[in-house]
Structures are given as C-alpha cells and as structure tokens.
Amino acid sequence: MQSISSLMQEIGIDDAEITQRQAFLSLDANDAASLREVHAVLATHRDELIEVFYQHLLQFPEIRPLLGDESRLERLKRAQMDYFDQLTQGSYDAGYVENRLHVGVVHQRVGLTPKWYMSAYSKYLGEVLPRIWEHYRDDEERGQRASRALLKVVFFDMGLALDTYFHAEHKALMLARSYTEQIVSNIPIGFIVLDTAGRIRLLNNAVLKMFELSGDDVWRDRSPGSFLGVPELDEAAAKVIKLQEHQHDLGFGLLISGQARAFTADLSLAQMGEEHVVLCMVQDITLRKQSEEEIHRLAFYDALTQLPNRRLLHERLLQSMSISARSGKHGAVMFIDLDNFKTLNDTQGHDVGDELLREVAARLTRNLREGDTVARLGGDEFVVALESLSGIEKEAASQAETIAEKIRAELSQPYQLQTVEHSSSPSMGVSLYRGHMNSIDEVLKQADLAMYQAKSTGRNRVCFFDPEMQVEMEQRAELEKDLRASIRLGQLELYYQMQVDDNARIIGAEALIRWNHPQRGTVSPAQFIPLAEEMGMILPIGDWVIEQACEMLRRWEMDAEMRHIVLSINVSPRQLSQTWFVDKVKDTLESYGIRPSRLKLELTESFILDDVEDAIAKMHELRAIGIRFAMDDFGTGYSSLSYLKRLPLEQLKIDQSFVRDIATDKSNSVMVRTIISIANNFGLDIIAEGVETDDQLAFLRQYGCNRYQGYLFGKPVPLAEFERLCHLAE
C-alpha cells in the first residue's frame, strides 16, 4: 500500500475512508473489470473525445481566458486525455485518489469552480456513454454494467474534487481567521469585545500589555469597569447598548506602576454572527498627551524661564482687555529691560547671563498678584501685565507705580550667580489701558517707549508713557525712513571748510556732510549723524563719504592751485571697527589713483580708547601707505599719554568748546596751552577748530598754535564755492 500523502492527511482520507466511499457507491472489483474492458474501447476515440470536449469548453467566455494560448491549450488537452484515460484503467487505490485530489487542487487554483467541474463530467459522459452502448449493442446487459461502473467512478471522482474545494475554502477561512487573530492580538490598540450585558467576551494582548495584566482569563465575564477600575467604561457601554450610539474619545487616566498614564476609548455596537456585541477600542495616549503638552509649552512658553512668551502674552492681554471693557477697570503693561545686561554676558559668559534671567523671572513671579501675568519677550526684556486696577485713571496709575517700584526694588537686590555676586537694575516703562481703546500692539509699543525714556534719563527707574514721547518717536521713525533713502535719492552733499596756516594760506579742508531734504530742508548733522550711528546707516554713509573725498582729490590733482590741499574726513567708530575697513580705503584710493598723503582721517579719542589694539593696528596699516591721521576733539575724552605715543598720529585738533571762551575762561586757556604743549612734545601738528574772533586767534598764536579752522576764515561751503575761494586766495 502506498503511503498517504500530506494532502490526503489534511483532507482526512486514508485507506479505510477510500474503502468506505467505494462501498457507498458499490464500486467493486466487478466494476473495475468492466471499466478495464471499456478502456480498450475508448482508447480508439480518445483524440476525438478530447477535441469535442474542448470545443465545448471554448464556447464559454468565462473559460477561454483560463485555457491560454495554443501551446498551453495543447498541454491541457494531453493532461485531460491522461485524466480521462485513468477513469477506465480499473485501479482506484490510494495512488489514484491522491492523483485525483491534486488535479482538483489545480482546477481550484486556476479558477474552475464546482459548476464547471460538474459541467465537464456531464459533457464527458454525454460523449462516452453512447459509444459504450454502441459497442455493446449486441450485449445490452454488459453495456449497462459498464455504464453503471463508469457512473460510479465519475461520482467517486466528483466527491474527491468537491473535497478539494471544501478543503481549500476551509484552509482560506482558517488562514483568514489566523490572520485576524494575529492582527487583533498584536495591534497596539487595545481591543475588547463585550456582550450585551457589558461583560468581557474577548480581549487582545495590547490590553494586557498597556494595563500590565496577567495573561490568564480572570477578565472573562467581568465588566471592563470592574476589571480595569474604570467605571466610565461601563457607563459608556451601557449607553451604546441602550441608545445604539457610538461613544467617541472617552478619556480616562490610571496610575500604573506608580506612573500616571492617559487613555482614550471608542465604543460602538457591532454584529457578530447572530448576536450584537460592543467593540471597545482602547489606546494609550500618554506619549501623545505629553507631546501635545510639550508642543503647547514650546508654542506658548519661553524655554529658558518657563514664563509665557509673546504669543501667550498677546492672548492674555486680549482676554484682560475684554474683562476691562466689561468692568470699566484699568489694566497696565510694564515693559522691563535689565540695565547693562550685555556687559554681564560679555564678561561672565552666557551661562551666567541665563542664570540671571531665570532669577529675574522667579523674582517677578513672586511679586505678582493673582490674575497678573509676567512674560519674557526675548533677551533681557520682560513684560508684566496688571489686571483690575482702579476705574479712575490717576488711582490706577498710582497702583501701577506702587507695584512697579516694588518690582524695581526687588530686581535691584544683588544676585548670587554661580560664584559671582552681581548687582543689576531694571529700566521700566508703564502704559495704562482700559477696554479696547488701544490695540495690544499700541499698548506694548507705548510701554516700550516709556522704558526707553527710563533708560535715556538715567536707568534704574520707572517711567509712564507720555503721548508727546510717542509723537517724538513717530517723527524719529519717519526720519529714519527718509535717511535710509537719502543716498539712493542723492540728497547727501559734502561741504568744505577751509583750514589755514599762520599766514592765512589755505592748506587743507574738512569735508562735512549735509543732508538736503526736499520737505525738511537742510537737516542738521547733529540730528541725523547720531541717528545714523544708532541704526547702522553710518556704514553706507561713511563709504559714500570716502568715495566722494577720493573723487574730489582726483579732481584737484588736475588743478595746480588745489593739488596741495589735504582733505580731512571724519571716520565713524563703527566704520573703523569693521574688519573690511582698511581694504575698503585701500581699494578706493587705488580705483581713483590719488596720492594717499592728500587724505586725512579724523578719529575721536573716545573710540580709540574703546579698542586700542585694533585701532592701532589698522591705523599703522593705513599710515604705511601714506594716509594721515588726526585726533578730533582732543581733550574732551580721557586720553592716556601712553596710547597717544603708540598711535601713528600727525595732528591733534583742539575742540571748539575750549576755543570758544579761551580769552575769558582760565580753565579753557590752561587746557589749550596744555594740548599745544602735548602736541609739541610728541612732535605733532596742532590745529584749533571753531576760531571765530581775532582775540581767539591772537591767543592761539601766542601759545604756538599755527593752524586754524573756523568762521573767522570761512564757513563750510559747497564744492563750487570752496574751489572759487581757493582760486581767489592764490
């Protein structure tokens, strides 16, 4: 006996089963003998039978795609011929059964359903039986016996074929069930099935894992509320059963292994077979909730101090203004800036600076009333928003001032920062508001302006917003805008003030910038130069001055009466501090092809003292190519003689503030004599500016000053006028 194949084992067919099936069909040895006789009869018709059979199949559009091309069709015909041939060979043991089962599996795989399988046998019998009857027309009994035997074998085969179909469907169902069980068991979402009484029928591994439960069946027939300690789940399940409504996003929290965890559940009614069940999906959202909280914190709070940031401050001020509009009470905004914070950062490092900011935040928080807000906008800028002040403006201002002074005193106390004891102070600006009379941005801007007023009037003080201050700042903003466009619009112009020697001969000139505005008229340098310094415009303006000066010197080189003139220009401290300054000057000189000795750069001593080594290095580099240097406003700063010795200067300029009262003010006269003495001792030229009277000139000559600049000799004038004066002098 042949060994039973794995397929036969899966279906459950063994020798006993084969014997039993044949017994049910009365398929015995006599039938096998009759079929062997028929086999020889049918052998002569095999080719014909196969062609008729496949012509029948090809009539059906559903079957044609399964038969393939000509070559495949030929293979299928040969295989089918062998299949039909085995029907009548008379051997129906385990080997025959196994072969038939495999054929059934192949048919099932290619898509031949049982209806086509039975149809094929019907066609086969319809073609074969008449041939058998024809062969046995003289022996009808043998013909009937052979026909009955063939029908028995066909039914035997059809039973085996149906088994393969049932087996395949069963395997597919089992596989689908296995997949479903694996998916349900291993998905990270908790899955609980409840009956209509609210008792647990099934749950997956995710539930056991997320709630840290054992794998036994202690949960069976218990409610999720009693099992997990969450009565809200039982209440939601009852609503689903009673109202047949989906319960969305039911949130609950549990303490698991000492840690607070957050969960959400969705419950819905479902049909499983003939009964209704409640499906409960549970998710652990602890990480998501923590992420949402972190995103909220990053969006609305300052990372360093954990105070509200500008965005959250804006929302709270909007809410505060709405409350103020209903109550009629005032609110106030305090803008706080730490004095000299940059110095701490530069000298002690940013970690110490950050520690100061955290300590300031803590002190501000301690001094707030309930309902008030303190926020950090960035850097060392803080804002305090006060609510529910008096409905009377003066009283509200007094209340805000009291709180502000308390905060100022608290922030002025010494700080212990790591190993450093640091003293700090705040400059504070305060602006009142009531309701929505002013926008949030306007209120913040007003407090900011008041804070700058506090800084400009001495620091470490509290200032309230003054409307006149806002007008002034708006005018300043307009001036800034116009100044930025001044170079592009060609509104800047250089004026030239002559410098003369003791014989009143013109030896040089100082180029002084003027701004001719079409609406404002001539804007004073005293007004726009400090502004240009502050807003950074001094750099492009300074570059423009260098270009203009070099262009004039090239022009004067062509004029025999003016080629001896040395042109002085003022260099901003911010200009000289730029790393590219030396290259800029060299490149400009080279592009215009002028003698460097005709250009003199005037620097202020206050800047040189700010960064001595850098200034000395750059000055020496430019002096090496012939450029001259003068120290402007000498005596107004705190020059060190040792620095003076190291600087490659050619000239000192006596400031006009000393010259003005030189004949009547003893201190000024002493100062002028001292400056002249210093210049002589260091081998430097000396020039006095602001010379306006003969008495001043006489005094300067008496003490050894022999170069002058001032209204006594000539005012600053446009280029054409200056050139005319130079030609007249010659």
Side-chain angles (χ1 to χ4, degrees):
M1 182 68 66
Q2 295 180 8
S3 62
I4 301 175
S5 71
S6 60
L7 179 60
M8 292 174 63
Q9 285 180 327
E10 289 177 10
I11 295 176
I13 297 178
D14 55 12
D15 290 341
E17 175 67 16
I18 294 171
T19 301
Q20 188 179 52
R21 291 191 182 199
Q22 290 175 357
F24 285 155
L25 293 169
S26 300
L27 179 63
D28 54 21
N30 292 327
D31 293 318
S34 295
L35 290 170
R36 281 194 289 272
E37 290 180 8
V38 170
H39 184 77
V41 174
L42 297 178
T44 59
H45 300 285
R46 281 191 299 183
D47 292 339
E48 178 187 352
L49 288 171
I50 288 299
E51 289 300 325
V52 171
F53 179 74
Y54 270 91
Q55 286 176 7
H56 169 73
L57 291 181
L58 289 170
Q59 294 176 11
F60 301 98
E62 299 92 332
I63 295 295
R64 282 200 296 270
L66 303 178
L67 301 179
D69 56 18
E70 289 296 328
S71 61
R72 184 181 181 189
L73 183 60
E74 288 301 318
R75 289 196 302 273
L76 289 174
K77 287 180 179 180
R78 288 193 298 273
Q80 192 68 44
M81 188 181 299
D82 292 340
Y83 179 80
F84 286 149
D85 193 52
Q86 290 174 3
L87 277 173
T88 56
Q89 285 181 350
S91 176
Y92 308 108
D93 56 8
Y96 177 87
V97 170
E98 182 179 4
N99 175 268
R100 270 356 195 199
L101 291 176
H102 280 294
V103 170
V105 169
V106 171
H107 287 169
Q108 188 267 340
R109 286 177 181 171
V110 299
L112 286 172
T113 59
K115 65 179 181 180
W116 297 109
Y117 201 82
M118 293 179 181
S119 155
Y121 266 119
S122 175
K123 181 63 178 174
Y124 171 76
L125 291 172
E127 295 295 330
V128 169
L129 288 175
R131 287 170 171 76
I132 294 175
W133 296 335
E134 173 65 24
H135 180 73
Y136 290 109
R137 63 179 179 273
D138 296 332
D139 192 345
E140 185 176 344
E141 183 180 351
R142 288 180 65 189
Q144 290 178 353
R145 189 166 55 247
S147 297
R148 285 195 298 272
L150 181 59
L151 288 174
K152 290 178 185 180
V153 171
V154 167
F155 285 129
F156 182 63
D157 274 17
M158 289 175 63
L160 294 173
L162 290 175
D163 280 342
T164 62
Y165 281 94
F166 297 151
H167 175 65
E169 290 181 1
H170 177 70
K171 285 185 69 174
L173 287 173
M174 293 300 294
L175 184 61
R177 180 178 178 181
S178 175
Y179 284 159
T180 302
E181 290 177 350
Q182 288 294 319
I183 292 170
V184 171
S185 179
N186 294 291
I187 57 175
I189 299 174
F191 186 88
I192 305 174
V193 180
L194 310 176
D195 61 21
T196 52
R199 294 168 301 198
I200 300 174
R201 295 279 298 278
L202 174 70
L203 54 77
N204 66 349
N205 290 333
V207 174
L208 302 176
K209 185 177 180 180
M210 70 175 62
F211 295 108
E212 298 185 4
L213 303 172
S214 62
D216 52 31
D217 289 351
V218 295
W219 46 267
R220 194 175 299 279
D221 293 330
R222 294 177 62 183
S223 74
S226 63
F227 180 57
L228 299 176
V230 186
E232 300 98 306
L233 288 177
D234 291 348
E235 296 170 7
K239 286 183 181 179
V240 171
I241 295 167
K242 182 178 180 180
L243 304 176
Q244 297 187 3
E245 292 181 354
H246 192 164
Q247 299 294 305
H248 295 278
D249 297 328
L250 175 65
F252 61 92
L254 288 175
L255 196 66
I256 299 177
S257 298
Q259 293 186 341
R261 308 296 294 270
F263 302 89
T264 184
D266 281 1
L267 295 92
S268 59
L269 201 62
Q271 187 86 21
M272 291 185 67
E274 297 296 323
E275 64 174 331
H276 286 91
V277 295
V278 177
L279 300 181
C280 178
M281 304 291 188
V282 184
Q283 295 185 68
D284 185 341
I285 59 170
T286 305
L287 291 178
R288 188 180 82 189
K289 206 167 185 64
Q290 290 172 350
S291 297
E292 289 172 352
E293 290 172 355
E294 179 66 10
I295 290 170
H296 180 272
R297 188 185 66 79
L298 293 173
F300 291 98
Y301 290 86
D302 171 57
L304 178 65
T305 63
Q306 306 306 313
L307 293 177
N309 60 13
R310 185 185 297 272
R311 184 176 178 182
L312 183 54
L313 173 67
H314 193 280
E315 291 189 5
R316 291 190 179 177
L317 279 176
L318 188 62
Q319 182 181 15
S320 177
M321 285 181 169
S322 298
I323 294 172
S324 171
R326 293 193 298 269
S327 67
K329 293 185 176 182
H330 285 85
V333 170
M334 299 179 183
F335 210 105
I336 303 171
D337 187 270
L338 302 182
D339 299 330
N340 302 315
F341 176 72
K342 183 177 183 299
T343 302
L344 175 69
N345 259 348
D346 292 344
T347 57
Q348 300 298 327
H350 287 276
D351 55 335
V352 176
D354 288 347
E355 188 174 348
L356 173 63
L357 295 175
R358 286 191 290 266
E359 180 60 28
V360 167
R363 293 189 186 187
L364 286 171
T365 304
R366 288 197 300 266
N367 283 275
L368 284 188
R369 306 170 306 160
E370 185 176 355
D372 295 339
T373 297
V374 58
R376 178 179 177 233
L377 302 189
D380 60 333
E381 293 181 341
F382 296 83
V383 169
V384 173
L386 305 178
E387 287 189 3
S388 300
L389 302 176
S390 174
I392 301 172
E393 186 174 19
K394 288 186 178 180
E395 291 182 1
S398 177
Q399 293 169 343
E401 183 177 22
T402 299
I403 297 171
E405 286 295 344
K406 180 182 178 183
I407 291 174
R408 188 188 64 79
E410 177 73 13
L411 297 186
S412 297
Q413 296 297 315
Y415 297 83
Q416 186 63 43
L417 308 174
Q418 297 181 11
T419 59
V420 179
E421 183 173 324
H422 177 70
S423 294
S424 182
S425 62
S427 293
M428 302 174 61
V430 184
S431 176
L432 295 178
Y433 64 86
R434 183 164 64 178
H436 298 284
M437 295 176 63
N438 291 319
S439 69
I440 293 173
D441 289 340
E442 287 173 337
V443 172
L444 288 171
K445 180 180 178 182
Q446 290 171 357
D448 192 18
L449 291 174
M451 183 273 293
Y452 276 106
Q453 180 68 14
K455 277 194 174 295
S456 65
T457 54
R459 305 176 188 268
N460 191 21
R461 60 177 299 181
V462 177
C463 281
F464 277 74
F465 170 71
D466 180 358
E468 293 182 3
M469 181 196 314
Q470 184 168 7
V471 172
E472 180 182 335
M473 294 304 292
E474 289 173 353
Q475 291 175 345
R476 172 191 168 100
E478 284 296 318
L479 188 64
E480 286 185 6
K481 183 181 71 173
D482 290 349
L483 183 57
R484 291 187 188 280
S486 61
I487 298 178
R488 176 172 52 84
L489 298 177
Q491 296 172 355
L492 300 182
E493 181 182 4
L494 288 183
Y495 275 42
Y496 301 85
Q497 186 174 30
M498 64 179 65
Q499 297 174 337
V500 301
D501 61 12
D502 207 26
N503 298 316
R505 188 171 64 95
I506 301 174
I507 57 172
E510 181 178 1
L512 301 167
I513 193 168
R514 294 292 184 266
W515 181 14
N516 301 311
H517 192 276
Q519 284 79 41
R520 301 176 187 273
T522 301
V523 184
S524 168
Q527 184 180 3
F528 75 83
I529 291 297
L531 180 62
E533 286 277 7
E534 186 176 328
M535 59 188 285
M537 271 298 293
I538 198 67
L539 296 178
I541 289 176
D543 290 344
W544 178 84
V545 169
I546 293 173
E547 291 277 349
Q548 291 293 305
C550 290
E551 184 177 349
M552 288 306 101
L553 288 173
R554 182 176 65 178
R555 173 173 170 165
W556 295 344
E557 283 286 347
M558 303 297 104
D559 190 329
E561 296 177 351
M562 299 191 68
R563 62 183 308 178
H564 67 282
I565 291 178
V566 176
L567 183 58
S568 300
I569 60 173
N570 290 283
V571 173
S572 158
R574 197 163 182 174
Q575 274 182 279
L576 189 56
S577 67
Q578 302 301 310
T579 55
W580 42 257
F581 177 74
V582 171
D583 290 335
K584 170 66 179 177
V585 175
K586 287 181 177 180
D587 291 345
T588 307
L589 288 171
E590 184 177 349
S591 65
Y592 282 97
I594 63 172
R595 291 176 291 163
S597 61
R598 298 294 93 191
L599 182 65
K600 184 183 294 184
L601 304 183
E602 295 189 4
L603 308 172
T604 58
E605 59 176 316
S606 58
F607 167 70
I608 295 171
L609 289 173
D610 285 341
D611 196 344
V612 176
E613 298 305 325
D614 185 61
I616 291 174
K618 289 175 178 174
M619 291 171 69
H620 274 291
E621 190 172 352
L622 291 174
R623 189 71 184 91
I625 65 172
I627 290 179
R628 308 181 185 191
F629 286 95
M631 184 177 286
D632 196 11
D633 303 332
F634 187 75
T636 59
Y638 304 93
S639 295
S640 164
L641 294 182
S642 62
Y643 292 154
L644 195 62
K645 181 180 179 181
R646 296 172 59 194
L647 297 173
L649 297 173
E650 180 194 59
Q651 186 179 68
L652 297 183
K653 296 188 76 173
I654 304 173
D655 187 68
Q656 59 184 339
S657 62
F658 300 133
V659 175
R660 185 179 301 113
D661 301 321
I662 194 173
T664 57
D665 188 307
K666 184 176 181 180
S667 297
N668 281 351
S669 65
V670 171
M671 178 62 75
V672 169
R673 291 199 302 270
T674 302
I675 294 172
I676 294 172
S677 176
I678 291 173
N680 290 333
N681 289 333
F682 281 91
L684 302 175
D685 288 340
I686 190 78
I687 184 172
E689 48 183 1
V691 181
E692 298 180 356
T693 68
D694 290 330
D695 289 342
Q696 293 169 347
L697 179 62
F699 184 94
L700 291 167
R701 280 178 171 170
Q702 178 182 352
Y703 288 100
C705 179
N706 55 8
R707 285 175 172 76
Y708 320 99
Q709 178 180 338
Y711 282 11
L712 182 61
F713 305 99
K715 297 180 179 181
V717 293
L719 174 64
E721 177 63 14
F722 177 72
E723 290 179 339
R724 187 185 69 82
L725 293 172
C726 289
H727 287 111
L728 286 176
E730 292 298 327

Short mmCIF file of all heavy atoms in Angstrom, two decimals, residues 697-718:
data_model
loop_
_atom_site.label_atom_id
_atom_site.label_comp_id
_atom_site.label_asym_id
_atom_site.label_seq_id
_atom_site.Cartn_x
_atom_site.Cartn_y
_atom_site.Cartn_z
N LEU A 697 42.27 134.04 17.90
CA LEU A 697 43.41 133.82 17.02
C LEU A 697 44.70 134.30 17.65
O LEU A 697 45.73 133.61 17.59
CB LEU A 697 43.16 134.53 15.69
CG LEU A 697 44.30 134.42 14.65
CD1 LEU A 697 44.53 132.97 14.25
CD2 LEU A 697 43.97 135.27 13.41
N ALA A 698 44.63 135.46 18.30
CA ALA A 698 45.82 136.02 18.92
C ALA A 698 46.32 135.12 20.05
O ALA A 698 47.53 134.89 20.20
CB ALA A 698 45.52 137.42 19.45
N PHE A 699 45.40 134.62 20.86
CA PHE A 699 45.77 133.74 21.96
C PHE A 699 46.43 132.47 21.43
O PHE A 699 47.47 132.03 21.94
CB PHE A 699 44.52 133.39 22.78
CG PHE A 699 44.82 132.55 24.00
CD1 PHE A 699 45.03 133.15 25.23
CD2 PHE A 699 44.91 131.16 23.91
CE1 PHE A 699 45.32 132.38 26.35
CE2 PHE A 699 45.20 130.40 25.02
CZ PHE A 699 45.40 131.01 26.25
N LEU A 700 45.85 131.87 20.42
CA LEU A 700 46.38 130.62 19.87
C LEU A 700 47.78 130.84 19.29
O LEU A 700 48.68 130.01 19.46
CB LEU A 700 45.43 130.09 18.79
CG LEU A 700 44.07 129.57 19.30
CD1 LEU A 700 43.10 129.37 18.15
CD2 LEU A 700 44.27 128.26 20.06
N ARG A 701 47.96 131.97 18.57
CA ARG A 701 49.28 132.27 18.02
C ARG A 701 50.31 132.45 19.13
O ARG A 701 51.46 132.01 19.01
CB ARG A 701 49.20 133.53 17.18
CG ARG A 701 48.63 133.31 15.78
CD ARG A 701 48.53 134.60 15.02
NE ARG A 701 48.19 134.38 13.63
CZ ARG A 701 47.86 135.35 12.79
NH1 ARG A 701 47.84 136.61 13.21
NH2 ARG A 701 47.57 135.07 11.53
N GLN A 702 49.88 133.10 20.20
CA GLN A 702 50.80 133.40 21.30
C GLN A 702 51.38 132.13 21.91
O GLN A 702 52.55 132.08 22.29
CB GLN A 702 50.05 134.20 22.37
CG GLN A 702 50.91 134.53 23.59
CD GLN A 702 50.12 135.29 24.65
OE1 GLN A 702 48.98 135.69 24.41
NE2 GLN A 702 50.71 135.48 25.80
N TYR A 703 50.54 131.05 21.94
CA TYR A 703 51.00 129.83 22.60
C TYR A 703 51.42 128.73 21.61
O TYR A 703 51.57 127.58 22.00
CB TYR A 703 49.92 129.32 23.55
CG TYR A 703 49.79 130.22 24.77
CD1 TYR A 703 48.79 131.18 24.85
CD2 TYR A 703 50.71 130.14 25.82
CE1 TYR A 703 48.68 132.01 25.94
CE2 TYR A 703 50.62 130.97 26.92
CZ TYR A 703 49.61 131.91 26.99
OH TYR A 703 49.51 132.74 28.07
N GLY A 704 51.61 129.10 20.37
CA GLY A 704 52.27 128.16 19.46
C GLY A 704 51.38 127.39 18.53
O GLY A 704 51.85 126.48 17.83
N CYS A 705 50.09 127.71 18.47
CA CYS A 705 49.21 127.04 17.50
C CYS A 705 49.24 127.84 16.21
O CYS A 705 48.98 129.04 16.21
CB CYS A 705 47.77 126.96 18.04
SG CYS A 705 46.63 126.18 16.88
N ASN A 706 49.52 127.17 15.08
CA ASN A 706 49.68 127.91 13.83
C ASN A 706 48.82 127.37 12.68
O ASN A 706 49.05 127.66 11.52
CB ASN A 706 51.15 127.91 13.40
CG ASN A 706 51.70 126.50 13.29
OD1 ASN A 706 50.95 125.53 13.38
ND2 ASN A 706 53.00 126.39 13.11
N ARG A 707 47.79 126.58 13.02
CA ARG A 707 46.84 126.12 12.02
C ARG A 707 45.44 126.27 12.60
O ARG A 707 45.20 125.96 13.77
CB ARG A 707 47.10 124.67 11.62
CG ARG A 707 48.33 124.54 10.70
CD ARG A 707 48.65 123.08 10.42
NE ARG A 707 49.68 122.96 9.41
CZ ARG A 707 50.98 123.16 9.61
NH1 ARG A 707 51.39 123.53 10.82
NH2 ARG A 707 51.86 123.03 8.63
N TYR A 708 44.51 126.73 11.71
CA TYR A 708 43.20 127.13 12.25
C TYR A 708 42.08 126.71 11.30
O TYR A 708 42.26 126.57 10.09
CB TYR A 708 43.15 128.65 12.45
CG TYR A 708 44.43 129.21 13.01
CD1 TYR A 708 45.38 129.81 12.16
CD2 TYR A 708 44.72 129.13 14.37
CE1 TYR A 708 46.56 130.32 12.65
CE2 TYR A 708 45.90 129.63 14.88
CZ TYR A 708 46.82 130.23 14.02
OH TYR A 708 47.99 130.72 14.52
N GLN A 709 40.92 126.61 11.94
CA GLN A 709 39.70 126.28 11.19
C GLN A 709 38.54 126.95 11.92
O GLN A 709 38.41 126.83 13.15
CB GLN A 709 39.49 124.75 11.14
CG GLN A 709 38.23 124.29 10.43
CD GLN A 709 38.11 122.77 10.44
OE1 GLN A 709 39.10 122.04 10.59
NE2 GLN A 709 36.89 122.27 10.29
N GLY A 710 37.71 127.69 11.22
CA GLY A 710 36.60 128.33 11.88
C GLY A 710 35.98 129.43 11.03
O GLY A 710 36.47 129.76 9.94
N TYR A 711 34.91 130.02 11.56
CA TYR A 711 34.16 131.03 10.81
C TYR A 711 34.98 132.29 10.54
O TYR A 711 34.66 133.06 9.63
CB TYR A 711 32.89 131.42 11.57
CG TYR A 711 31.77 130.39 11.45
CD1 TYR A 711 32.01 129.14 10.89
CD2 TYR A 711 30.49 130.69 11.88
CE1 TYR A 711 31.00 128.22 10.79
CE2 TYR A 711 29.46 129.77 11.78
CZ TYR A 711 29.72 128.53 11.23
OH TYR A 711 28.71 127.63 11.12
N LEU A 712 36.03 132.53 11.34
CA LEU A 712 36.87 133.70 11.11
C LEU A 712 37.50 133.63 9.71
O LEU A 712 37.75 134.66 9.08
CB LEU A 712 37.96 133.78 12.18
CG LEU A 712 38.90 134.99 12.11
CD1 LEU A 712 38.13 136.31 12.27
CD2 LEU A 712 39.99 134.88 13.17
N PHE A 713 37.71 132.42 9.22
CA PHE A 713 38.35 132.24 7.91
C PHE A 713 37.34 131.80 6.84
O PHE A 713 37.51 132.11 5.67
CB PHE A 713 39.48 131.21 8.03
CG PHE A 713 40.48 131.57 9.08
CD1 PHE A 713 40.42 130.99 10.35
CD2 PHE A 713 41.47 132.51 8.81
CE1 PHE A 713 41.34 131.34 11.32
CE2 PHE A 713 42.39 132.86 9.79
CZ PHE A 713 42.32 132.28 11.06
N GLY A 714 36.34 131.05 7.27
CA GLY A 714 35.34 130.62 6.28
C GLY A 714 34.41 129.57 6.85
O GLY A 714 34.83 128.69 7.62
N LYS A 715 33.15 129.67 6.47
CA LYS A 715 32.17 128.67 6.87
C LYS A 715 32.26 127.46 5.94
O LYS A 715 32.83 127.54 4.85
CB LYS A 715 30.76 129.26 6.80
CG LYS A 715 30.52 130.41 7.75
CD LYS A 715 29.08 130.92 7.60
CE LYS A 715 28.81 132.07 8.57
NZ LYS A 715 27.40 132.56 8.45
N PRO A 716 31.64 126.34 6.34
CA PRO A 716 31.53 125.21 5.41
C PRO A 716 30.69 125.62 4.21
O PRO A 716 29.61 126.19 4.37
CB PRO A 716 30.83 124.13 6.24
CG PRO A 716 31.10 124.49 7.67
CD PRO A 716 31.13 125.99 7.69
N VAL A 717 31.20 125.36 2.99
CA VAL A 717 30.52 125.81 1.78
C VAL A 717 30.48 124.66 0.77
O VAL A 717 31.27 123.72 0.85
CB VAL A 717 31.23 127.02 1.16
CG1 VAL A 717 31.12 128.25 2.06
CG2 VAL A 717 32.70 126.69 0.86
N PRO A 718 29.56 124.73 -0.21
CA PRO A 718 29.52 123.71 -1.26
C PRO A 718 30.82 123.69 -2.05
O PRO A 718 31.63 124.62 -2.00
CB PRO A 718 28.34 124.15 -2.13
CG PRO A 718 27.50 125.01 -1.26
CD PRO A 718 28.45 125.71 -0.33
#
